[in-house]
């Protein structure tokens, strides 16, 4: 498993995330790639953050903030 996958999994398996968003074991993706495709907004948001901070060409903080804000705004409509 790649480092990005390990980081992503450690976030989504955290007790606070699972309890706050009522996620069951079957809701949790097995890797980052599946997380980006998730129907759960919190999982996809975490996946996007990990992907863009741990990637080959990471986004600047400002660009990542803009991308995540846009995603969350679209997800709530």
């Amino acid at each position: 498993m790649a480092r990005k996958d390990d980081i992503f999994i450690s976030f989504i398996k955290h007790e606070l995330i699972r309890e706050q968003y009522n996620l069951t074991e079957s809701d949790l993706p097995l890797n980052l790639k599946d997380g980006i495709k998730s129907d759960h907004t919190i999982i996809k948001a975490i996946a996007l953050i990990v992907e863009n901070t741990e990637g080959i060409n990471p986004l600047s903080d400002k660009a990542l903030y803009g991308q995540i804000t846009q995603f969350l705004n679209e997800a709530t409509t």
Side-chain angles (χ1 to χ4, degrees):
M1 191 177 288
R3 179 172 188 256
K4 290 191 291 188
D5 291 324
D6 290 338
I7 293 168
F8 171 68
I9 295 299
S10 71
F11 276 119
I12 64 168
K13 285 197 171 187
H14 194 279
E15 181 180 317
L16 291 174
I17 298 292
R18 292 180 66 176
E19 288 178 8
Q20 180 70 31
Y21 296 96
N22 297 318
L23 299 171
T24 64
E25 192 68 32
S26 63
D27 292 328
L28 303 179
L30 300 175
N31 55 46
L32 183 64
K33 184 178 177 182
D34 291 341
I36 291 173
K37 297 180 208 172
S38 178
D39 292 333
H40 296 278
T41 303
I42 188 63
I43 292 175
K44 189 168 182 176
I46 292 170
L48 289 170
I49 292 167
V50 171
E51 175 66 28
N52 286 300
T53 56
E54 293 295 317
I56 296 170
N57 295 317
L59 296 175
S60 69
D61 289 346
K62 185 175 181 178
L64 180 58
Y65 176 81
Q67 182 183 26
I68 296 301
T69 300
Q70 179 181 358
F71 165 71
L72 292 174
N73 285 335
E74 290 171 1
T76 59
T77 58

